[in-house]
C-alpha cells in the first residue's frame, strides 16, 4: 500500500503508482493534485526531478477517464501537453503510458524529426491525449489534421525553455485554438517576466505552487568544482571516471562539436559513451538515450538543448565539462541528478575563461561551490583568479567582500578517496590548504 491514499485518486491510477513503486507523493504532487482534481488552473514553479510530470499527468488522466464517452473522436484530442523538446515530449508520453496503463485512454506523441504520416494516422484513429512540441503541432494544425476545440486540459511544460527556444508565437497560436472552457496548467523552472506575462494571459485564477525556490540548487546535489586548464579537461575526465562509483554520468558540453570530441575520447579510453545533440538524427538520439537508460552506456555526453528535460533515473553524477555562462542553465543541469530523493553529485570543470561564470553561478544560487583540488590537474592560478569587472562588482560577487577579493582556499584533501593520482603529486604544487568555506 502506498501513501497516495489521501489524494482521492481512482483505483487504476493507484495501481499504476504501485506498479511504479512510488511510496509517497513528492511535495509538488501532494500540493497540486487536490487542486487539479478540483479543476483549478495551476502555475507550477518546479524543475524536472521534482515529480512534476506525475503531478499533472495523474489528475489529467483521472479527468479524461471520467469524461470519456466511448472511443476518442478522430483528430479531436481532449488533452494537450506542450513540451519544448522531443526528448521531453517522449518522456511525458512514457509517463502517460505508465500511469494510464490500467485505463483505456489513447495518446500520441507529435514532434519533428519523426515521420509525420504515422502521427497523422494515429490522430485519425482517435486519441484522447496529444503530447507535442510546438513546431510540428503548428504544422499539423495548419494542415487541419487535428482540432483543439475539445481540449479540456491544456498543459504547458517547461515554459521558460519554450520561450528561450523561440516558441512564443507558436505557443500563443496554439493556446488561442484551444477551447476557452479548459483547465490550464503552466510549469516553469524559473519565472522571468516573459513567463509571468504568458501565465497571466493563459491562466484563470490559478493556484501557484512553488516547490524549490527559484535559482537555488537542489539541496541533495553535492557540488564541487575542479580548476583545470582547458587542454587538460579530457585527461581530467578520464581520471575522474576511474572512480567506479560514477556509474551513470551525464556530461555537459557547451558545443555539439565538443560533445562529439569528448565522447570519442572516452570511447578510445574504453569508457562506454553516447552523445546527444541537435545535429544527431532523432533515431541516434533515442538510441543513445536508451543505451544510457538501460545501463549499456556509462556516460552520456550532451549539449544543453538536447539534454533538456531528459529523465533518466539513477544519474549518479552530472559533470560540467564546460561551465555554462547562464547560472539558470547550471541549475537545470545539476537537477538531472539527485532526482526523486536520491543523492547525486555535480562536478564542474572550470578553466580560466569560465572563472567568471562560476562567480555568477555562486552569486545567483547563493551557494559557494566546494573546491576540489585533490586531482592531478589542479590549476591554482585559476582557483585564485579574481572576478573581472569593477571593484564594486567584485565586492558584490564575493558576498560583500567576505573573501577579501582574492581567490579562495580549496577544500582540504580527504585523503584522495575519489582520485588515486598515483605518483602525480608533482602536478599538485601550489595547492593552498585551508578551511573550506563551502556551505
Ligand atoms: P519529473 O520531475 O516529473 O521529471 O520526475 C522525476 C522522476 O521522479 C521520474 O523518474 C519519476 O519516475 C520519479 N517520480 C515521480 N513521482 C515519484 C514519487 N512519488 N516517488 C518516487 N519517484 C517519483
Amino acid at each position: 500500500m502506498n501513501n497516495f491514499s489521501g489524494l482521492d485518486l481512482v483505483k487504476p491510477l493507484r495501481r499504476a503508482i504501485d506498479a511504479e513503486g512510488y511510496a509517497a507523493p513528492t511535495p509538488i504532487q501532494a500540493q497540486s493534485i487536490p487542486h487539479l482534481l478540483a479543476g483549478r488552473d495551476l502555475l507550477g514553479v518546479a524543475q524536472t526531478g521534482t515529480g512534476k510530470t506525475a503531478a499533472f499527468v495523474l489528475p489529467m488522466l483521472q479527468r479524461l477517464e471520467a469524461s470519456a464517452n466511448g472511443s476518442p473522436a478522430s483528430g479531436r484530442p481532449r488533452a494537450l501537453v506542450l513540451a519544448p523538446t522531443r526528448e521531453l515530449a517522449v518522456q511525458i508520453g512514457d509517463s502517460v503510458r505508465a500511469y494510464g496503463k490500467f485505463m483505456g485512454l489513447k495518446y500520441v506523441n507529435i514532434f519533428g524529426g519523426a515521420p509525420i504520416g504515422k502521427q497523422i494516422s494515429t490522430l485519425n484513429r482517435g486519441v484522447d491525449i496529444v503530447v507535442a512540441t510546438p513546431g510540428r503541432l503548428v504544422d499539423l494544425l495548419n494542415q487541419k489534421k487535428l482540432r483543439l476545440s475539445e481540449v479540456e486540459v491544456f498543459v504547458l511544460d517547461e515554459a521558460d525553455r519554450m520561450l528561450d527556444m523561440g516558441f512564443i508565437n507558436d505557443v500563443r497560436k496554439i493556446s488561442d485554438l484551444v477551447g476557452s472552457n479548459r483547465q490550464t496548467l503552466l510549469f516553469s523552472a524559473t519565472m522571468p517576466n516573459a513567463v509571468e506575462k504568458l501565465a497571466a494571459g493563459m491562466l484563470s485564477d490559478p493556484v501557484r505552487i512553488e516547490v524549490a525556490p527559484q535559482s537555488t540548487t537542489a539541496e541533495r546535489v553535492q557540488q564541487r568544482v575542479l580548476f583545470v586548464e582547458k587542454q587538460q579537461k579530457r585527461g581530467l575526465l578520464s581520471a575522474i571516471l576511474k572512480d567506479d562509483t560514477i556509474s551513470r554520468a551525464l556530461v555537459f558540453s557547451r558545443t555539439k562539436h565538443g560533445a562529439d570530441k569528448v565522447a570519442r575520447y572516452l570511447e578510445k579510453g574504453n569508457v562506454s559513451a553516447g552523445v546527444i545533440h541537435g545535429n544527431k538524427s532523432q533515431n541516434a538520439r533515442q538510441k543513445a538515450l536508451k543505451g544510457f537508460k538501460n545501463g549499456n552506456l556509462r556516460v552520456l555526453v550532451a549539449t544543453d538543448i538536447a539534454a533538456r528535460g531528459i529523465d533518466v533515473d539513477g544519474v549518479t553524477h552530472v559533470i560540467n565539462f564546460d561551465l555554462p555562462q547562464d547560472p539558470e542553465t547550471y541549475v537545470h543541469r545539476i537537477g538531472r541528478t539527485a532526482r526523486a530523493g536520491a543523492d547525486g553529485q555535480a562536478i564542474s570543470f572550470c578553466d580560466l575563461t569560465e572563472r567568471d561564470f562560476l562567480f555568477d553561478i555562486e552569486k545567483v544560487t547563493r551557494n559557494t561551490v566546494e573546491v576540489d583540488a585533490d586531482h592531478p590537474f589542479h590549476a591554482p592560478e585559476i582557483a585564485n583568479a579574481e572576478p573581472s569587472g569593477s571593484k564594486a562588482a567584485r565586492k558584490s560577487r564575493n558576498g560583500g567582500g567576505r573573501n577579501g577579493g582574492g581567490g579562495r582556499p580549496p577544500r582540504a584533501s580527504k585523503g584522495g578517496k575519489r582520485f588515486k593520482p598515483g605518483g602525480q603529486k608533482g602536478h599538485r604544487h601550489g595547492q593552498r590548504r585551508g578551511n573550506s568555506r563551502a556551505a
Side-chain angles (χ1 to χ4, degrees):
M1 203 42 208
N2 62 51
N3 228 342
F4 279 80
S5 36
L7 286 181
D8 262 348
L9 291 167
V10 293
K11 202 160 166 207
L13 293 177
R14 292 205 312 268
R15 274 180 72 197
I17 292 165
D18 271 342
E20 289 299 302
Y22 300 168
T26 66
I28 191 158
Q29 291 161 6
Q31 290 174 54
S32 319
I33 290 174
H35 292 295
L36 293 174
L37 289 176
R40 292 284 301 270
D41 280 6
L42 180 122
L43 174 61
V45 188
Q47 300 173 31
T48 36
T50 53
K52 70 181 163 68
T53 314
F56 67 80
V57 170
L58 293 167
M60 176 178 85
L61 293 172
Q62 182 148 327
R63 176 175 174 151
L64 295 176
E65 178 85 342
S67 61
N69 186 9
S71 310
S74 174
R76 293 179 183 203
R78 294 185 297 132
L80 171 64
V81 182
L82 281 187
T85 63
R86 300 176 271 201
E87 280 76 13
L88 185 59
V90 168
Q91 273 161 23
I92 296 169
D94 289 348
S95 298
V96 168
R97 191 178 52 232
Y99 305 141
K101 73 176 169 189
F102 301 112
M103 293 177 157
L105 299 168
K106 299 202 166 83
Y107 82 95
V108 65
N109 265 136
I110 289 193
F111 47 77
I116 198 163
K118 229 168 125 187
Q119 296 175 358
I120 294 172
S121 52
T122 312
L123 278 171
N124 286 341
R125 284 198 299 275
V127 292
D128 299 285
I129 303 155
V130 168
V131 184
T133 54
R136 175 61 65 90
L137 184 66
V138 166
D139 269 2
L140 289 173
L141 287 166
N142 288 341
Q143 295 181 40
K144 306 220 178 317
K145 299 297 182 197
L146 77 161
R147 283 172 55 178
L148 300 179
S149 50
E150 276 161 57
V151 167
E152 296 172 35
V153 184
F154 178 34
V155 184
L156 203 64
D157 199 11
E158 307 214 341
D160 48 355
R161 189 56 48 157
M162 205 105 71
L163 300 195
D164 284 353
M165 291 173 71
F167 284 132
I168 182 74
N169 291 333
D170 287 346
V171 169
R172 288 233 163 86
K173 179 169 180 175
I174 293 164
S175 174
D176 287 346
L177 290 170
V178 176
S180 54
N181 197 8
R182 70 192 195 201
Q183 182 180 29
T184 311
L185 287 61
L186 185 150
F187 290 88
S188 195
T190 59
M191 286 302 290
N193 282 343
V195 176
E196 291 279 5
K197 228 172 113 189
L198 183 71
M202 285 178 54
L203 303 172
S204 153
D205 185 27
V207 197
R208 183 182 175 120
I209 289 173
E210 206 158 328
V211 289
Q214 192 177 334
S215 300
T216 59
T217 43
E219 269 171 26
R220 303 186 70 109
V221 183
Q222 270 179 35
Q223 303 167 55
R224 56 194 160 109
V225 60
L226 284 67
F227 294 108
V228 57
E229 301 285 355
K230 196 179 199 67
Q231 62 277 18
Q232 311 265 37
K233 281 186 174 181
R234 285 187 293 176
L236 177 57
L237 185 60
S238 289
I240 282 187
L241 289 171
K242 294 210 164 57
D243 175 353
D244 52 22
T245 65
I246 304 184
S247 54
R248 189 171 285 172
L250 188 54
V251 175
F252 282 95
S253 156
R254 205 176 310 134
T255 64
K256 299 170 199 168
H257 179 62
D260 283 331
K261 263 174 45 183
V262 170
R264 273 201 303 271
Y265 182 85
L266 292 177
E267 287 283 356
K268 262 193 210 151
N270 286 329
V271 175
S272 57
V275 63
I276 56 170
H277 58 61
N279 287 358
K280 295 272 170 196
S281 69
Q282 180 65 7
N283 247 351
R285 287 156 68 156
Q286 297 288 10
K287 201 171 145 211
L289 201 54
K290 196 166 159 206
F292 189 54
K293 277 188 178 175
N294 68 21
N296 286 342
L297 297 175
R298 184 176 166 215
V299 174
L300 184 66
V301 189
T303 54
D304 287 300
I305 299 259
R308 178 72 193 170
I310 67 166
D311 173 20
V312 179
D313 286 338
V315 171
T316 58
H317 292 72
V318 165
I319 300 176
N320 291 310
F321 188 85
D322 300 311
L323 268 181
Q325 189 158 6
D326 167 20
E328 298 294 352
T329 304
Y330 176 84
V331 174
H332 283 304
R333 285 184 181 183
I334 73 167
R336 296 290 170 276
T337 182
R339 292 161 80 90
D343 286 322
Q345 295 195 25
I347 301 174
S348 299
F349 296 175
C350 178
D351 67 29
L352 194 58
T353 63
E354 295 163 328
R355 195 64 180 85
D356 275 350
F357 302 167
L358 181 65
F359 285 120
D360 284 345
I361 287 164
E362 293 186 321
K363 190 176 146 210
V364 169
T365 60
R366 295 185 211 99
N367 174 49
T368 305
V369 182
E370 190 175 316
V371 177
D372 186 347
D374 188 18
H375 65 89
F377 304 101
H378 178 62
E381 64 290 353
I382 302 174
N384 294 328
E386 291 190 27
S388 56
S390 69
K391 204 172 165 191
R394 247 187 352 250
K395 223 175 160 190
S396 83
R397 276 176 165 151
N398 278 338
R402 250 183 321 140
N403 199 26
R408 56 204 177 149
R411 182 176 60 81
S413 163
K414 284 185 182 152
K417 256 184 256 148
R418 275 188 295 264
F419 297 98
K420 296 186 179 68
Q424 301 201 53
K425 282 207 167 73
H427 290 283
R428 295 163 62 195
H429 63 275
Q431 175 178 327
R432 287 206 281 145
R433 305 228 169 211
N435 294 329
S436 167
R437 51 177 201 100

